[in-house]
Amino acid sequence: MAEDFTVTAVGHVESPLTDRASAPKQGPEGSPEAWLVFEGAVLPALEGLRPGDRVFVLTWLHLSPRDVLRVHPRDDPAVPLHGVFATRSPDRPNPIGLHPVEILEITGNRVRVRDLEALDGTPIVDVKPVLTCAPPT
Amino acid sequence: MAEDFTVTAVGHVESPLTDRASAPKQGPEGSPEAWLVFEGAVLPALEGLRPGDRVFVLTWLHLSPRDVLRVHPRDDPAVPLHGVFATRSPDRPNPIGLHPVEILEITGNRVRVRDLEALDGTPIVDVKPVLTCAPPT
């Protein structure tokens, strides 16, 4: 049977993006610079991160419906419905966002990044270094 | 203030790997083939996935302590402590695993994959196509 777990926000996004309809669908598609603002309690977890590092930011896409299992990719009704696990739609059973970004600056609990399409106020749940490379699709 | 959210397992891993100490630290480092077994309720979310696709499997690393903020990378005491956000340690405030795998076979609610280092029984929380490419590190 399905099990539940509790995710706790470790910070949040500060971004000029405030509206899902106008936000880029993927980070490199015109995202403005944004700040990751971390809770003081997790500051030791940031040690070792440096400007120039590429990391995945994992977010909780708090505005996304969780009961959507199929979507038209990129909201294009001309594209046949796909299962959400075959798309990057933010609508999915567990709305975890996966955002590859580049770190530009680290100041205390604030990390400035490039290529983040998450909206202002989006909770951050994890950060991981980018390790792997797969062919672009 | 920190916010909490509820993650619900959408399936689980079936793998010969049963012991964290002997599991590979990254998927391509000798992982056996494994099965992703999904709950029937999310089957429509799999539509469009095909053998040969590369996807990220997101898991909940249910055996990991959540109060660890700094680790010796790759459990090597000779490497100085790093913040967990600068490592791929499974020990972190929200123990979400991020596993790039290749799909080998899809049979109903069961998906056979290559390169998954998650242990048998690990809950699955999401699947996303791999879109991006960054230099290997």
Side-chain angles (χ1 to χ4, degrees), chain A residues 1-10 26 28 38-39 41-49 54-56 58 60-62 66 68-70 81-89 92-98 100 121 123-137, chain B residues 1-10 26 28 38-39 41-49 54-56 58 60-62 66 68-70 81-89 92-98 100 121 123-137:
Chain A
M1 288 308 301
E3 293 171 279
D4 287 347
F5 307 97
T6 300
V7 175
T8 300
V10 296
Q26 297 298 327
F38 289 91
E39 301 284 329
V42 301
L43 268 183
L46 297 175
E47 290 176 24
L49 292 175
R54 288 199 63 87
V55 295
F56 288 114
L58 281 71
W60 188 262
L61 302 168
H62 58 308
R66 303 180 65 170
V68 174
L69 296 178
R70 301 196 302 165
L81 284 168
H82 281 58
V84 293
F85 294 160
T87 81
R88 285 297 192 101
S89 170
R92 45 185 60 245
N94 293 299
I96 299 171
L98 179 66
I124 300 167
V125 298
D126 199 8
V127 176
K128 299 180 188 296
V130 173
L131 295 182
T132 56
C133 187
T137 56
Chain B
M1 287 306 303
E3 294 171 278
D4 288 347
F5 308 97
T6 301
V7 175
T8 300
V10 296
Q26 297 297 328
F38 290 91
E39 302 283 331
V42 301
L43 267 182
L46 297 174
E47 291 176 21
L49 293 175
R54 288 199 62 86
V55 295
F56 289 114
L58 280 72
W60 188 262
L61 301 168
H62 58 308
R66 302 181 63 170
V68 175
L69 296 178
R70 300 194 304 164
L81 284 168
H82 281 56
V84 292
F85 293 160
T87 82
R88 284 296 191 101
S89 170
R92 46 185 57 245
N94 293 300
I96 299 170
L98 179 66
I124 299 167
V125 298
D126 200 7
V127 176
K128 298 178 189 294
V130 172
L131 295 182
T132 57
C133 186
T137 56

Side-chain angles (χ1 to χ4, degrees), chain B residues 71-73 76-83 87:
Chain B
V71 295
H72 295 287
D76 181 348
V79 180
L81 284 168
H82 281 56
T87 82

Side-chain angles (χ1 to χ4, degrees), chain A residues 40-122:
Chain A
V42 301
L43 268 183
L46 297 175
E47 290 176 24
L49 292 175
R50 298 281 179 270
D53 287 353
R54 288 199 63 87
V55 295
F56 288 114
V57 178
L58 281 71
T59 59
W60 188 262
L61 302 168
H62 58 308
L63 303 181
S64 294
R66 303 180 65 170
D67 57 353
V68 174
L69 296 178
R70 301 196 302 165
V71 296
H72 294 287
R74 299 186 68 85
D75 294 332
D76 181 347
V79 181
L81 284 168
H82 281 58
V84 293
F85 294 160
T87 81
R88 285 297 192 101
S89 170
D91 307 337
R92 45 185 60 245
N94 293 299
I96 299 171
L98 179 66
H99 315 275
V101 303
E102 179 182 345
I103 294 178
L104 300 174
E105 177 185 354
I106 303 175
T107 306
N109 70 326
R110 298 172 60 84
V111 178
R112 187 163 57 92
V113 300
R114 170 153 58 200
D115 292 340
L116 182 62
E117 81 280 20
L119 299 184
D120 187 59
T122 300

